[in-house]
Every structure is written in C-alpha cells, then in structure tokens.
Amino acid sequence: MSKLVRGTLILTAATFFSKFLGLIFVIPLERLFGTSAGALYSYAYQPYTVILSIATLGLPLAVSKFVSKYNALGDYATGRRLLRTGMLLMSLTGLIAFLGLFFSAEWIAGFLVKEGSKGNSISDVTMVIRLVSTALIIVPSMSLIRGYFQGFQSMGPTALSQVVEQIVRIGFILISATLILKVFGGQESTAVGFATFAAFIAALASLFILIWYWKKRKPHLDKLVKTSKRQRISLVKMYKELIGYAIPFVAVGLAIPLYSVIDTFTINKALMNALAYSQPEAETFYAVMTTYSQKLIMIPVSLSTGLALTVIPLITSYYTKKETHILHNQVTKTFEIVLFLTVPAGVGLSLLAVPAYSFLFSEEVATGGYVLSWYAPTAILFALFSVSAAILQGINQQKFAVYSLLAGVFVKLSLNYILIASFGIAGAIIATNFGYLISISINLFIIKRETDYSFKPVFKRTILIGMFIGLMTLAVVGVKSGIESMFGANYGNSWFSGLVLIVGVIAGAGVYLYMSHFSGLLQHIFGDRLERFLRKKRMRSNG
C-alpha cells in the first residue's frame, strides 16, 4: 500500500473518529443545554478558532512541508533546529493570542448579542470567550510537534493525540455539565463556560501524548540528525522560507472558521433586521446551523482532512525531486479518494437530513432537518477546497491558495446578508457554496497550469461516481418512501427516525459499494491490497 493511502487511512480514521466523538457528545449536550446554550457555545468557539489559526501562523503544516523537504535532501539537522526555535515562537504567539482574545472578549460579545434582549447576555458571551481563550496558551506548541512528526510522514502521533484530546474534552464537558446542572442546580451559562474551558484540559492531555511519542522516538531521530547532510542554513533564511510556506497555511486553516465567523456576525442581524425575527428565534437558527448541523457535516469533511495532511509532505517530496509522473499519479489518487468518500457522504446526509437530525437531537427537528438538507452537500466543497489548496502548497504555489481563499471570502461576505434576507437561513449556505466554488475553480486552474496536469482521469472517475450516486439516491429515496408509506412520517419519534436512518444508510451504502466493487472502481482507488483482502474473504466463505 502506498505511503499516501497508508498515511491517509491512519489520519482519516483518527480524524473521523474524533469528529464522530464530537458529534456523539453534542447529542447529550443538546439535551442538557438546549438550543440557546448551543448558540452560546458557538459564540465562544468561532472567534477562538480564527485567533488560533492566526496564533499558529500556519507553522504546524508549514513545518510538515519544511521538514519533509529537507529530509528528502538528507538534512535532518535543519528540521530539528526548526523544532527547537519554533517551540519558543509558538509559546510566545500562543500567550499573545490568549491575552488578546481574553481582553477583547467583551468587545466581541457586544457585536454578537444585544444587551437587555431575551436570549444570551453580553456577560455570558464574554465569560465563555475568556474561558476558551486559555487553550491558546498550549495548542500552538502542541500543533507544532504534530507538524514535525508529519514531516517524517509519521501520522501516528497526530492521530492518537487527536483522539485522546477529543475523548478528554468530551469527558470533561459531560461530567462538568451534569454536575453543574443536575447535582448543584447551577445555571446553563456556567455549564457552557466549563464546556469551553474543556479545550484547555484536552490540549494538556494531547500534549502529554506527543511528549510521550517524542521520548520514545528521540533516540532514532537523534541518529538521523548525526548522519545528516547539513545545509548550514541561517535562522533568518530558514524562517524566511518557513514563513513563505506558512502564510498560505494560515489562509487555508482560516477557510472554514472565516466563513463561520461571517455567519456568526451576520445571521442574527439579517434574520432580526430583514425578517423581523426575535433574538431567541435568530439564535435558534444560528445554533442549529453552526453548532449542531455543522457537527454532522464535518464528519464527511474529516474524510478529506487526513488526506490533506498526508498529501502535503508527499507531494512536496516528489516535486522537490522532480518526479513528475509520480506527482501526477499522486494528485490523481488524491482527488479520486476525496471524491469517492465525500460525495456519497454529503449527498446521503442531505437525503436523510430529517431522520438524521431527529434521531440525534430532541429540539427544533423541522428546522434542523431543513438546514441540514441544504448544508450537507457543502461538505463536498469543504473537502475539495482543503485538498486542492494542500496540493497547491505541495507544488510551491502557496500564494494562489491565499488568493483563492480571499476571492471566496469576498463572495461570501458580499452575498451573505443579502441572501439571508432573501432566502432565510438557506441564504447563508448558498453564499458559502458560491464562495467555495470560486476558490476551488481558481485552485484547479493553477494546479493544471503549473504542473501540466490533466484532469481527464479524475473527470472519468467523477462521471462513474456520479452514476453510482444516482443509483444510491434511488435506493435511499425508495426505502425511505416505503417505510413512510407503511408507518407514516413520524419524525418526532427518535426510534422511527433511527429506523429510517439505519435502513437508508445500509441501502445507499450497499448499492454504492457494490457498484464500486463490481465496476473495479474500489480496487482502482484503494489498490491491490484491497483486492487481495476481498479475494481471501471470498476463499474463506467458499471454503
């Protein structure tokens, strides 16, 4: 199995599991907190995510690219020197980011809610932003260590630390929320505050895992450094090159957070001013979209996140060595994997939006199903943008990743209020889709121009995937309609919703995977090892 597929499977599995845990914990959280508290939770995390991306300066993934490049040249010492100095820099920027977000929390809160209105208060929003800001002290340094390991194409440390981080965060949130609300009879805002502080506790746990990996692997890494072909690069030159890599990584890392922040500062105002919603009504739509529906669609997106993290050092290595044929093959494989995984996930989630939302959450089922049916296909665009931008960075066309993001954000910012005022909450999703389509188009054009890459193989696979998606859609709609005709469309009942969801997923996934295997698409994308596994399975069943 190729390094790309092996690394992708490790990181994708870890990221998917982490996102899945994030979804699972939101279910009891929604039942403990309710929709209004979900909006408060999201108010804290949206500005935090943007500040975190700026605080890390894009260095974690830039370090992955930098270390991979110099490792390919046999220079392991430069990467080690970068790690030492980068830890100091990340500690400093993390502290500055923490202080900046902590002391600007009340100012930010004033933009999000109105004092004296029903719903969340400015003091509540200020508190949760200040509590989540504490994680900024640790997360940048932790992310840098992950980037260093990824530069060696070692995805295990990142994968395990992600999973542990999520488990600790979820455990802390659920335990603290239960104690505050059920045992001590505290306020929802206090419980949400502890939920945001969980980011700091979880970061500590993740850092512990990375330090354990470092101590375990340090003897081997030290041997590589001793045999290194030293380039003797000055710190100034080293950081100049690194910053050249880092700025686009900041842009790509900011993509989803920036779109979410635009929604955070726009949705309530547009719904209240243009459509005469009350603040609690507007916050309900905001929470359903940014806290609950987004958790669901980020699961398909996570399928591409591991791919993006894996492809950067590999493509950088092939590009540095001028191995054009292998580079083209890896680009093709990258797009094939992301399309094969995310398109059926996004379409299927859209088709089963109402039963999926009803099965998981107890409040605002009709609103949630409506929002999710619009929002789920956006996962495909999220994935394509992150992967295409990663390829641009791998071929040293970082500036175009920035340009494409800025163009997409400009479109989103220009259209968001207008479309929300015209179409309600769906307008925010339509604006997001327009923005990402512009960004993806720019990225694909640059990849073709700079590498002389032909998209014909990907286009052929896309047509095949599209045909199978059509058959999958017929299967899902068929079983859903059949169950509804026999038992009615009682989506207020979570057990009924679960039945429709499970049967729909089994029918859709079964048709899609069967056709993919029958046509050879599955074996083509995931290699001969999958074919050998299937052959052995058939032999055992026949024997």
Side-chain angles (χ1 to χ4, degrees), residues 449-530:
R449 190 188 74 180
E450 296 298 325
T451 65
D452 196 28
Y453 176 75
S454 172
F455 282 96
K456 287 182 180 179
V458 177
F459 183 68
K460 290 178 181 178
R461 303 287 179 264
T462 303
I463 293 175
L464 199 57
I465 289 171
M467 293 169 59
F468 299 158
I469 292 295
L471 295 173
M472 181 194 81
T473 299
L474 291 175
V476 172
V477 172
V479 297
K480 182 171 177 286
S481 300
I483 295 174
E484 288 175 349
S485 65
M486 289 188 290
F487 302 105
N490 184 21
Y491 290 112
N493 185 309
S494 60
W495 291 106
F496 175 78
S497 299
L499 172 67
V500 176
L501 180 63
I502 292 170
V503 174
V505 168
I506 291 173
V511 169
Y512 182 73
L513 291 175
Y514 174 78
M515 293 305 301
S516 298
H517 174 58
F518 179 77
S519 66
L521 178 65
L522 196 65
Q523 297 88 323
H524 168 79
I525 291 177
F526 292 102
D528 295 334
R529 186 168 293 191
L530 176 64

Side-chain angles (χ1 to χ4, degrees), residues 26 35-46 49 256-257 259-268 282-298 357 361 368 371-372 375 382 412 416 420 425 428-429 432:
V26 166
T35 306
S36 177
L40 181 60
Y41 182 82
S42 191
Y43 287 148
Y45 262 92
Q46 301 304 343
T49 306
I256 293 177
Y259 278 70
S260 296
V261 163
I262 292 172
D263 287 331
T264 298
F265 284 92
T266 308
I267 288 175
N268 287 357
E283 286 187 334
T284 294
F285 278 96
Y286 171 73
V288 163
M289 178 174 166
T290 62
T291 304
Y292 301 121
S293 293
Q294 195 170 79
K295 287 288 184 184
L296 280 164
I297 73 159
M298 289 309 292
Y357 198 93
F361 305 118
V371 170
L372 185 59
Y375 208 7
F382 284 167
K412 167 74 171 174
N416 215 49
I420 294 172
I425 192 66
I429 300 168
T432 294

